[in-house]
């Protein structure tokens, strides 16, 4: 059994835990994101074997990456850190001399200088593998593939993990061209799970932009695993079992269910709708989403009740506030007149804008998107 960690944006831990439970995982232990000690947000630890690791990467919709725990030890001096690092089984994950990218965070520890910590871990790797690995900085976009290694020092306890995902899991591979302010795909999936959308019920996104919410809804309703068409960092590991991966992937494809829900997505911007259609085609769900170019005022929802799950424009500049107040008030009117009895789930960042909607909404999720604190508020349209 190995220890894995499904990392996620802050606030999504419980949704990741729910997903893990439905994948049949045991030994779950959620950790809430702590911005002081962890730049990655929170996540959930889980035990499992190689097949578990492959299934998590293939199926998790709300996580940002899956890490494999390589070691955990006490290190209050550089000598200890170097020595302990050199004892880890790096050969399972790294080719001797292969590039690595180190992400180091130190919190309430005697070793607090992250660059110096990184240097000692690299020395440990070189000692173990007999060859020095070139290191890229954590924020450097690697030209060639580099294995990400995550080092966390909290109160002198060092945990070292390797990233099994590679590109972040929200990069499903279907979204090449972005419209204005696209949502990350894992956040779109989180909105759908958090608002309790029943996957057979109608769904409408009247501000669809690049179509992320509707596409994630179609993938969810169809039981289509988000990672089926991409590669993962674990495919470069020495213990990569290509036959096992293919078996895991193929058995998930056999579990597809037909999408029965009416999923409508619209936007007033013709370019956004075109992009959304192309994204849906790449995701293999174009035929189950009804896209149209139209303003909010012109939406024609199917027979309901259903769910409106949406992400209207956010206010960042003061000059936009009046327009946005009007837009949110209009959203409230459209919901009351055309979607009575529907559940509304709206992602935004401004309590004054939410209040323009004009009926009670409660916070179902609080997280971050594009560097902003955002909330998903839900309520029933009267
Ligand atoms: C924040 S973006 C939505 C992003 C989307 N969730 C995505 O992942 O790409 C808001 C969208 O609302 C659209 N929009 C703004 N005002 C609108 C209106 N009155 N009617 C319809 N769409 C509108 C914009 O064109 C923009 O695409």
């Amino acid at each position: 059994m190995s220890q894995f960690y499904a990392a996620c944006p802050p606030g999504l831990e419980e949704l990741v835990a729910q997903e893990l439970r439905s994948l049949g995982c045991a030994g779950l232990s959620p950790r809430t994101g702590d911005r002081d000690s962890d730049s990655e947000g929170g996540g959930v630890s889980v035990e499992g074997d190689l097949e578990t690791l492959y299934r998590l990467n293939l199926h998790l919709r709300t996580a940002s990456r899956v890490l494999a725990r390589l070691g955990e030890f006490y290190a209050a001096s550089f000598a200890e850190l170097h020595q302990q690092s050199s004892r880890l089984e790096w050969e399972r994950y790294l080719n001797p001399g292969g590039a690595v990218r180190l992400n180091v965070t130190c919190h309430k520890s005697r070793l607090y200088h992250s660059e110096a910590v990184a240097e000692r871990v690299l020395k440990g790797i070189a000692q173990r593998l007999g060859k020095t690995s070139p290191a890229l900085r954590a924020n450097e976009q690697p030209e060639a593939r580099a294995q990400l290694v995550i080092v966390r020092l909290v109160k002198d306890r060092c945990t070292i993990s390797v990233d099994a995902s590679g590109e972040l899991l929200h990069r499903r591979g279907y979204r090449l061209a972005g419209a204005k302010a696209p949502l990350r795909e894992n956040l779109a999936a989180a909105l759908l799970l958090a608002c309790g959308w029943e996957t057979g019920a109608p769904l409408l996104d009247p501000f669809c932009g690049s179509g992320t919410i509707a596409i994630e809804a179609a993938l969810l309703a169809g039981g289509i695993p988000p990672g089926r068409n991409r590669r993962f960092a674990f495919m470069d590991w020495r213990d990569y079992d290509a036959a096992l991966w293919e078996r895991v992937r193929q058995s998930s494809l056999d579990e597809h269910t037909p999408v029965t829900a009416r999923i409508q997505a619209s936007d007033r911007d013709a370019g956004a709708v075109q992009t959304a259609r192309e994204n849906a085609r790449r995701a293999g769900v174009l035929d189950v989403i009804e896209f149209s170019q139209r303003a909010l005022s012109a939406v024609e929802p199917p027979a309901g009740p259903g769910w409106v799950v949406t992400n209207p424009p956010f206010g960042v500049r003061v000059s936009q506030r009046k327009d946005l107040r009007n837009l949110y008030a209009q959203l409230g009117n459209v919901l009351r007149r055309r979607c009575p009895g529907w559940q509304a789930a709206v992602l935004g960042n401004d309590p004054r804008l939410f209040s323009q909607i004009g009926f009670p909404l409660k916070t179902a999720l609080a997280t971050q998107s594009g560097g902003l604190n955002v909330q998903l508020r839900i309520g029933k349209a009267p």
Side-chain angles (χ1 to χ4, degrees):
M1 280 293 191
S2 301
Q3 190 75 31
F4 305 120
Y5 185 71
C8 64
L12 269 54
E13 298 84 359
E14 188 42 46
L15 293 173
V16 173
Q18 270 173 34
E19 284 199 85
L20 289 168
R21 276 183 225 113
S22 69
L23 289 170
C25 292
L28 302 188
S29 133
R31 183 164 65 78
T32 307
D34 171 353
R35 263 184 268 160
D36 289 340
S37 63
D38 188 354
S39 55
E40 288 273 314
V44 186
S45 296
V46 55
E47 287 172 0
D49 55 12
L50 208 53
E51 181 170 338
T52 311
L53 180 69
Y54 294 176
R55 293 182 70 232
L56 301 192
N57 276 288
L58 178 67
H59 289 281
L60 285 178
R61 297 177 197 275
T62 56
S64 16
R65 60 165 107 247
V66 179
L67 309 175
R69 174 71 44 85
L70 181 54
E72 180 166 8
F73 51 82
Y74 176 84
S77 71
F78 285 121
E80 277 172 311
L81 177 65
H82 173 192
Q83 192 190 41
Q84 295 281 4
S85 303
S86 68
R87 291 186 181 150
L88 301 177
E89 292 180 299
W90 294 104
E91 59 279 5
R92 288 179 62 188
Y93 308 105
L94 299 178
N95 294 315
V100 295
R101 203 153 55 96
L102 279 157
N103 179 329
V104 181
T105 48
C106 307
H107 186 64
K108 291 188 182 160
S109 296
R110 264 168 272 190
L111 302 179
Y112 58 85
H113 191 291
S114 52
E115 298 230 352
V117 167
E119 193 188 306
R120 294 323 190 283
V121 173
L122 274 173
K123 277 193 177 158
I125 296 175
Q127 186 173 332
R128 176 87 186 189
L129 301 182
K131 219 167 174 187
T132 304
S133 294
L136 301 161
R137 287 180 189 283
N139 55 2
E140 213 171 332
Q141 280 301 318
E143 292 284 315
R145 288 202 286 267
Q147 173 62 56
L148 175 63
V149 173
I150 296 185
V151 181
R152 288 183 85 242
L153 258 162
V154 179
K155 294 185 185 157
D156 300 330
R157 251 213 101 74
C158 181
T159 49
I160 299 192
S161 310
V162 289
D163 169 39
S165 302
E167 275 212 283
L168 288 171
L169 291 179
H170 78 86
R171 303 223 169 105
R172 324 285 206 216
Y174 64 74
R175 204 168 70 187
L176 303 183
K180 295 173 220 157
L183 273 188
R184 283 194 170 187
E185 295 81 341
N186 59 332
L187 179 53
L191 305 185
L192 293 158
L193 295 173
C195 77
W197 176 52
E198 289 158 13
T199 53
L203 183 99
L204 166 65
D205 179 2
F207 299 106
C208 76
S210 57
T212 322
I213 294 174
I215 295 169
E216 289 296 317
L219 294 175
L220 186 62
I224 302 171
R228 72 201 191 290
N229 287 332
R230 51 162 282 172
R231 75 176 316 286
F232 295 97
F234 64 71
M235 294 172 172
D236 293 327
W237 295 354
R238 209 181 61 174
D239 65 359
Y240 175 49
D241 183 339
L244 175 63
W245 164 250
E246 212 27 65
R247 197 150 28 83
V248 168
R249 184 177 169 279
Q250 198 51 51
S251 70
S252 76
L253 299 182
D254 297 341
E255 286 163 16
H256 282 193
T257 47
V259 178
T260 52
R262 294 225 15 216
I263 302 175
Q264 286 190 347
S266 53
D267 198 289
R268 68 170 179 196
D269 183 306
V273 177
Q274 182 57 26
T275 301
R277 280 205 176 94
E278 282 159 19
N279 289 338
R281 186 180 44 71
R282 272 188 291 271
V285 293
L286 181 58
D287 55 336
V288 295
I289 303 175
E290 300 163 38
F291 285 107
S292 61
Q293 183 207 343
R294 65 181 72 216
L296 171 67
S297 54
V299 293
E300 290 168 11
W307 269 256
V308 172
V309 184
T310 196
N311 157 219
F314 291 172
V316 185
R317 275 173 284 140
V318 178
S319 60
Q320 298 170 318
R321 282 211 190 122
K322 187 155 176 283
D323 288 349
L324 286 177
R325 277 203 300 271
N326 291 339
L327 187 65
Y328 278 66
Q330 190 186 26
L331 175 61
N333 286 334
V334 168
L335 287 167
R336 271 189 298 268
R337 294 207 188 115
R338 296 190 212 152
C339 308
W342 284 50
Q343 294 291 336
V346 182
L347 185 76
N349 76 331
D350 186 341
R352 285 163 301 186
L353 292 177
F354 282 124
S355 68
Q356 295 295 316
I357 292 177
F359 57 83
L361 297 169
K362 66 174 195 314
T363 303
L365 200 65
T367 183
Q368 290 175 341
S369 175
L372 297 173
N373 290 324
V374 294
Q375 291 183 351
L376 175 71
R377 295 213 183 167
I378 58 174
K380 194 170 183 178

